[in-house]
Amino acid sequence: MRKPICIILVLLLTAPSLKADWPVGKRRTTLLPGYSFFYSDANYDRRWNRTKFPKGNSFVTHIYNFSLQHGIGRTTDIFMNIPYLSQRSLNKDSLRTAAGVGDLTIGIAQHFSSKDQHRHFTAKASFVVPMYQKDSITSLGYASRALGLEVNYSFSASAKAFAIIQAAYTQFLDEAEGPQQYTYTGTYGRKLNAFSMMTFSFMHQISYSPDKSFNPNLLANKSFINGRFSISYGRRITRTIMPMVSISTVLYGKNAGGGFGAGISLITRLP
Amino acid sequence: MMLKLKGLIKIAILFIIGSIGSTNLLAIHNSHKANALVVKDSLEIRILPLKKDGAFGKKNPVKYKATIRNRYKVEQEGSLEYIIRNEANLVVMRNMLDLKVAAGKTLESSFEIPFTKDGVYTIVFVVNMNNFNGELASIFSYRNTEQPSNAAKTNPYEYTSTIENLNAISSAEDIPQNMDHAEPVQPAEEEEVHEEGEIILSVKPKNADGVFTDGNNITYLVALQNKYKTKQEGTLNYFLKTDKGEIIGEKSIPIKISKMGELRLKIKIPPVTEAGVYGITVALNLTTYDDTTKYAFAYNINQIKTAFHVPSDFENFWERAKADLAAIPPDYKIILDEKKTTKFHKIYKVEMTSLEGVKIFGWLTIPRLPKKFPVIVGLQGYRVELDPLVYDSYVGFNLNTRGIEKNWKSFNPENIQPLLINIEDPEKFVYRGIYMDCVRAIDFLYSHADMGFDLDRVLVFGGSQGAALSLVTAALTGNRINTLIVDNAIFCDFHESYNLLSNELYNNFPIKHLVDYANENPPITIKNLLDNLSYYEVQNFMPMINCSVLYAVSLLDPLAPAATVFAAYNKLRASTKEKSEIYVAPNLGHEVTMDHRYYQLIWMSEKLVRKRRNIGK
């Protein structure tokens, strides 16, 4: 019988990503401190069926995230991301918790922009370093180093809108079973007025691995598929700071957790 | 719509404009018979939009094709002027092209109108050929299909209207332009082919910006496409000219192009040794097609130098002007404009008193967000009145100096060229006041930091006269400005502009007005005027500039001779040049490309990043 599952989906689920992929700008920096949580009370099995947890069971994870992006040139940025995770799994009579620093991601992005700055093709390479020890029950991730490659195309979709089409590949390196993960994301953003905007984002993620076994800790689960949708709203409160709130939900999955999340972050552009 | 001749008329002049589309054909007028064809001997003129519906945009620039068939036995010579008016009937652009059609020949020429502002416009073509004067009007629309200015706003970090603002300030000057001999005829690409066919000519310098450093290796790439259904034979002649218009090299190349064929040539220009700007005139004489187009390149721009004409009391002159200004209470009045103010921006009219007690005003726009904003100051072109400068991330301040129409009457009751007001006395010359108006605007900012101005970050920009004012303002205000964006600065060197008058391209504003004034007002001489203007030549201010400059030069600029603009740039201090950039447009007149506008946006963002040191010193 399947137990309630501790699920921590990727950070992107509720922690807003560094917005879009325009070059940050030479000598400019974007900081993105944020908090988000994800609440799960269901999971998707191998046949894509959604199953509610037994009454009283749940899983909650809190993510305190910090991202930074810095323009080292007009078209080249470096970036890093580090989360602090706190997870709480309530399973009938037992309560299991774990907390700690998750995966540190560092990387570089090269933008190829149209002359009018309306279209940007971006290539990214990143390296993931786990900041925790492996524990199959309460692990904060795969506890594996990883190499990430990503390409995306962002463009002004209309007078007040932009869109981003993104494909990413992540190869976890420390175990033969990987996994290899493919993530496809489409984002549509719309400016509401001079200071505020909304974004709508859909992400489809596939994780391949020879290891097809199911692990109740989905972070240790290497073979799964899921699709998520999120909506964000941001409004600038100063020239440089834009708080952004977001909500998200898992739409479908296979060997994946189901639930919803919410978050807030402060997009801070310096100077 | 094509108009045909009937009756006793031997030969018609056909004005055919905007043949398709109900909005396009407005009227046909000429000096002899309104709304009808006027008959002369053997001249047939057609002017058609290359896009039939007259709906232009970024992907379909405003292009017209003129076909002039001369059945006279004598050469026909004259001009074609186009005047573009907006919906408020204000002139937003005008330009003039030379026409010359040999006897029995047909001139077919596609010309691009460098117009990129959204809207619906009336375009009036005025044709003056030997014994004929006529004009007609048509409507065209322009829309950026990708909406660059608004689209740029979708970057969540850069809610700016930068492109719109840069365009608004740098264009639409009310400068009377004369014969624009340099207007390059751009070939129509990917456009419809008319029944008569045409020759599409492309002439491009090997170096895209038209700037060469090896005088022995100046090369042009020429491409010819024959859209006629008949073979074309003839010659391509080119003439290499100095900036003074002297021919220093020429060559004739026999041309044969099969019907609907193409021909590509690589032309190596005769070596040049002297740093400067050179003109290339390309004359194409083929079986059924004649065309003459003009281009330019620059050689060794870092070495383009002109003499300083700095009066011995130059510094003292401007110190006195600043002292005179300081003695006048500015009497700032900051009035919230309720009508212009929006939910997101407060817009104030700022009135102040400048030199000689003259009232001037500017538009101050402040985003409705807390804390401070970098400040962007716009300075206007000749006789242009600026509207508010609206940014979402910056304070905008557009200054209207005493040179605008609405407050002009007290200075200029007879409505003469502002450039000529009190020109006989440098102490009273109108630009002494105008330059000080700009200084007063900077004074205003520095005395109102509490309004949310981040005075560590101040950018000043302008085109044409606005560029001249920007450079002068930076020179006269010490270290109060972070960076400048200037396009096609006029007034760089009146003396050299006068020396270049033998090139008809430069027989234009401002130097033409000075010459005319001297001729009409003896015993005043042009030397007298040039001596007076020595106090006002922009090049004399260049060594006083400390901040970085993004500096645009167009090689075919009839108002700001490129050589004088280069030479002024070369008078910047080495330390200033080190942090500055120069941008060269080889085939443009008094304008810059949209690509450069976008680059200006990047520059603006980068240069406002770092705080300026030693503020106010």
Side-chain angles (χ1 to χ4, degrees):
Chain A
M1 180 181 169
R2 189 169 297 165
K3 294 182 179 180
I5 300 167
C6 301
I7 306 165
I8 301 172
L9 296 176
V10 296
L11 298 173
L12 283 174
L13 184 62
T14 50
S17 63
L18 285 174
K19 207 53 248 158
D21 257 318
W22 287 269
V24 172
K26 193 176 177 181
R27 295 179 187 154
R28 304 196 82 167
T29 302
T30 300
L31 305 177
L32 189 72
Y35 160 77
S36 64
F37 77 91
F38 179 74
Y39 175 85
S40 176
D41 60 357
N43 72 291
Y44 292 89
D45 64 18
R46 286 185 174 279
R47 294 181 179 179
W48 305 81
N49 296 317
R50 188 174 190 272
T51 308
K52 277 282 256 185
F53 294 161
K55 195 174 180 183
N57 290 3
S58 66
F59 171 77
V60 179
T61 183
H62 301 269
I63 306 168
Y64 303 89
N65 199 62
F66 180 77
S67 296
L68 178 150
Q69 201 171 353
H70 178 73
I72 58 175
R74 281 178 181 159
T75 57
T76 309
D77 304 330
I78 53 174
F79 59 90
M80 64 83 70
N81 180 82
I82 189 160
Y84 179 87
L85 309 168
S86 170
Q87 54 179 263
R88 180 178 181 274
S89 175
L90 181 61
N91 183 6
K92 280 196 173 178
D93 304 328
S94 65
L95 175 66
R96 186 174 292 138
T97 60
V101 178
D103 288 326
L104 168 68
T105 303
I106 53 174
I108 187 164
Q110 179 64 44
H111 305 271
F112 303 90
S113 305
S114 63
K115 282 184 177 175
D116 59 11
Q117 301 294 309
H118 293 170
R119 300 175 299 281
H120 306 276
F121 176 80
T122 301
K124 290 182 179 180
S126 59
F127 191 68
V128 176
V129 182
M131 307 299 286
Y132 51 91
Q133 299 298 314
K134 183 169 184 178
D135 179 333
S136 63
I137 303 300
T138 60
S139 181
L140 300 172
Y142 295 117
S144 169
R145 292 173 299 159
L147 183 66
L149 298 172
E150 179 188 319
V151 290
N152 68 56
Y153 179 65
S154 54
F155 58 98
S156 299
S158 71
K160 292 185 175 180
F162 66 89
I164 309 160
I165 300 164
Q166 192 172 350
Y169 167 75
T170 306
Q171 171 69 60
F172 287 85
L173 303 169
D174 288 346
E175 294 185 359
E177 297 82 15
Q180 298 173 339
Q181 293 184 334
Y182 296 86
T183 306
Y184 306 96
T185 309
T187 300
Y188 174 80
R190 186 160 188 87
K191 183 181 171 185
L192 302 177
N193 55 48
F195 302 141
S196 61
M197 61 180 291
M198 285 194 80
T199 66
F200 304 86
S201 186
F202 172 75
M203 183 171 84
H204 177 76
Q205 188 177 33
I206 308 167
S207 184
Y208 291 109
S209 172
D211 179 1
K212 304 289 185 188
S213 64
F214 181 77
N215 190 317
N217 180 353
L218 275 196
L219 276 187
N221 204 23
K222 293 184 174 176
S223 182
F224 66 87
I225 298 173
N226 62 37
R228 308 154 206 166
F229 179 72
S230 63
I231 299 175
S232 300
Y233 170 80
R235 190 189 193 284
R236 291 199 303 159
I237 56 172
T238 71
R239 180 179 70 87
T240 57
I241 299 175
M242 176 191 279
M244 196 156 209
V245 294
S246 60
I247 56 172
S248 64
T249 185
V250 178
L251 297 179
Y252 58 85
K254 178 181 176 184
N255 273 6
F260 65 90
I264 183 168
S265 59
L266 285 179
I267 301 173
T268 307
R269 182 141 161 108
L270 300 174
Chain B
M1 176 179 179
M2 180 172 286
L3 306 175
K4 294 183 179 177
L5 297 173
K6 291 183 178 179
L8 301 174
I9 299 166
K10 184 180 175 187
I11 297 170
I13 295 176
L14 298 181
F15 271 166
I16 302 165
I17 281 214
S19 58
I20 308 294
S22 58
T23 59
N24 226 353
L25 180 60
L26 281 186
I28 299 174
H29 303 290
N30 57 55
S31 57
H32 304 277
K33 196 173 180 181
N35 295 316
L37 292 173
V38 171
V39 176
K40 295 290 174 186
D41 287 332
S42 315
L43 204 60
E44 183 180 310
I45 302 175
R46 297 175 187 176
I47 305 172
L48 290 157
L50 279 176
K51 199 160 180 297
K52 285 183 177 178
D53 58 4
F56 299 104
K58 187 179 178 188
K59 289 182 179 174
N60 294 291
V62 183
K63 286 183 183 175
Y64 282 82
K65 180 182 178 183
T67 304
I68 302 174
R69 185 160 295 158
N70 178 15
R71 295 196 182 97
Y72 280 104
K73 292 178 182 175
V74 293
E75 181 181 81
Q76 292 294 308
E77 192 170 3
S79 65
L80 166 65
E81 182 182 20
Y82 60 81
I83 303 162
I84 300 174
R85 294 179 183 272
N86 63 17
E87 289 175 291
N89 205 34
L90 297 173
V91 174
V92 292
M93 179 178 281
R94 65 193 305 165
N95 213 339
M96 194 177 281
L97 313 173
D98 278 348
L99 296 177
K100 188 185 282 186
V101 191
K105 290 279 190 175
T106 299
L107 170 67
E108 288 193 339
S109 183
S110 302
F111 55 99
E112 181 172 338
I113 297 175
F115 192 82
T116 56
K117 200 170 180 182
D118 281 4
V120 178
Y121 301 90
T122 304
I123 183 166
V124 178
F125 291 96
V126 181
V127 180
N128 292 301
M129 299 290 284
N130 293 9
N131 298 318
F132 173 76
N133 299 310
E135 69 177 58
L136 49 97
S138 169
I139 285 180
F140 74 86
S141 65
Y142 188 91
R143 181 169 296 280
N144 277 306
T145 52
E146 296 181 22
Q147 310 240 9
S149 56
N150 287 328
K153 295 176 191 174
T154 59
N155 181 333
Y157 307 112
E158 296 293 349
Y159 292 143
T160 64
S161 307
T162 305
I163 298 300
E164 286 171 358
N165 289 326
L166 288 167
N167 271 331
I169 288 186
S170 301
S171 61
E173 288 185 294
D174 188 13
I175 292 178
Q177 291 195 43
N178 295 324
M179 310 291 262
D180 187 353
H181 296 261
E183 184 65 27
V185 177
Q186 299 295 341
E189 295 172 3
E190 300 174 359
E191 296 289 353
E192 66 189 280
V193 179
H194 298 283
E195 283 181 12
E196 301 86 352
E198 64 178 324
I199 298 292
I200 298 174
L201 172 66
S202 166
V203 180
K204 293 180 179 172
K206 188 180 174 190
N207 295 352
D209 62 358
V211 175
F212 294 88
T213 53
D214 180 357
N216 294 312
N217 193 20
I218 296 169
T219 307
Y220 273 80
L221 306 172
V222 177
L224 290 152
Q225 288 182 60
N226 178 13
K227 297 293 184 183
Y228 288 99
K229 292 176 182 172
T230 55
K231 185 173 77 173
Q232 296 291 313
E233 282 186 74
T235 56
L236 183 150
N237 302 292
Y238 73 84
F239 304 89
L240 172 64
K241 296 179 181 178
T242 66
D243 213 12
K244 290 184 177 174
E246 300 159 341
I247 296 175
I248 56 173
E250 60 180 285
K251 192 171 181 181
S252 182
I253 301 168
I255 298 288
K256 278 185 188 174
I257 319 175
S258 59
K259 61 180 181 181
M260 306 301 285
E262 288 186 21
L263 179 65
R264 291 181 185 276
L265 302 167
K266 195 176 192 179
I267 295 177
K268 191 167 184 182
I269 302 300
V272 296
T273 55
E274 197 173 327
V277 175
Y278 294 84
I280 300 281
T281 301
V282 176
L284 196 58
N285 302 108
L286 299 176
T287 312
T288 54
Y289 185 93
D290 288 336
D291 203 355
T292 300
T293 52
K294 300 190 180 184
Y295 307 88
F297 68 87
Y299 168 61
N300 216 359
I301 59 173
N302 292 333
Q303 297 304 314
I304 297 176
K305 289 176 181 163
T306 55
F308 268 119
H309 311 99
V310 186
S312 57
D313 63 339
F314 179 77
E315 286 187 20
N316 182 257
F317 179 91
W318 286 109
E319 286 304 320
R320 277 190 289 111
K322 286 197 286 185
D324 291 349
L325 178 70
I328 293 173
D331 193 21
Y332 300 120
K333 289 192 175 72
I334 303 166
I335 307 151
L336 183 68
D337 188 314
E338 301 281 0
K339 286 185 180 173
K340 294 182 188 295
T341 289
T342 70
K343 190 177 173 184
F344 303 105
H345 300 89
K346 285 188 174 179
I347 298 181
Y348 301 90
K349 185 176 186 183
V350 179
E351 296 177 350
M352 56 194 111
T353 307
S354 183
L355 202 65
E356 297 151 358
V358 173
K359 299 283 185 189
I360 60 172
F361 77 96
W363 290 108
L364 176 67
T365 306
I366 304 176
R368 285 181 181 246
L369 290 172
K371 298 196 175 176
K372 296 190 294 185
F373 295 87
V375 182
I376 296 179
V377 180
L379 299 176
Q380 90 258 40
Y382 191 70
R383 302 184 86 159
V384 172
E385 179 172 352
L386 295 180
D387 292 324
L389 181 63
V390 180
Y391 293 99
D392 297 334
S393 297
Y394 307 110
V395 163
F397 186 58
N398 259 356
L399 175 69
N400 285 301
T401 65
R402 64 191 65 196
I404 65 160
E405 300 300 331
K406 281 184 185 171
N407 65 3
W408 192 246
K409 285 185 180 175
S410 59
F411 303 99
N412 191 12
E414 295 172 4
N415 195 29
I416 63 171
Q417 282 296 325
L419 174 72
L420 302 174
I421 295 175
N422 295 332
I423 196 170
E424 295 175 27
D425 182 352
E427 296 282 352
K428 294 180 180 171
F429 183 41
V430 68
Y431 276 86
R432 185 171 185 262
I434 290 175
Y435 286 4
M436 286 300 105
D437 293 346
C438 299
V439 173
R440 179 113 289 177
I442 303 299
D443 288 344
F444 162 73
L445 296 174
Y446 274 79
S447 57
H448 292 79
D450 58 342
M451 292 189 75
F453 306 156
D454 182 351
L455 295 171
D456 294 345
R457 300 178 173 93
V458 178
L459 179 148
V460 178
F461 76 101
S464 189
Q465 178 192 269
L469 296 179
S470 300
L471 293 161
V472 170
T473 303
L476 292 177
T477 56
N479 192 26
R480 289 180 150 195
I481 294 168
N482 288 52
T483 190
L484 301 177
I485 295 177
V486 294
D487 304 338
N488 311 110
I490 58 172
F491 302 164
C492 283
D493 185 344
F494 293 103
H495 295 76
E496 184 63 14
S497 296
Y498 178 68
N499 291 337
L500 294 174
L501 261 181
S502 53
N503 183 345
E504 278 197 37
L505 171 64
Y506 303 129
N507 185 16
N508 222 314
F509 177 92
I511 204 69
K512 180 178 186 301
H513 294 288
L514 302 177
V515 172
D516 290 348
Y517 185 89
N519 290 338
E520 293 162 8
N521 294 277
I524 297 292
T525 65
I526 186 70
K527 183 179 181 312
N528 296 143
L529 299 181
L530 293 176
D531 286 346
N532 292 347
L533 289 168
S534 296
Y535 292 95
Y536 297 90
E537 279 184 349
V538 170
Q539 64 167 351
N540 294 344
F541 295 88
M542 298 301 268
M544 299 156 68
I545 295 172
N546 295 319
C547 63
S548 57
V549 187
L550 178 58
Y551 194 89
V553 186
S554 297
L555 297 184
L556 289 172
D557 192 333
L559 311 179
T564 68
V565 188
F566 282 125
Y569 183 84
N570 289 333
K571 291 182 172 73
L572 288 170
R573 291 178 191 165
S575 58
T576 304
K577 281 179 81 172
E578 206 169 89
K579 55 192 174 189
S580 300
E581 288 184 38
I582 193 163
Y583 167 88
V584 181
N587 288 337
L588 290 185
H590 199 54
E591 59 192 316
V592 298
T593 63
M594 280 305 290
D595 285 347
H596 186 58
R597 288 273 179 262
Y598 292 114
Y599 181 67
Q600 289 175 338
L601 189 146
I602 294 172
W603 173 277
M604 180 179 284
S605 174
E606 284 181 6
K607 295 298 176 182
L608 288 178
V609 168
R610 287 196 162 181
K611 286 188 178 182
R612 195 177 64 262
R613 310 264 179 215
N614 307 320
I615 301 162
K617 290 182 183 175

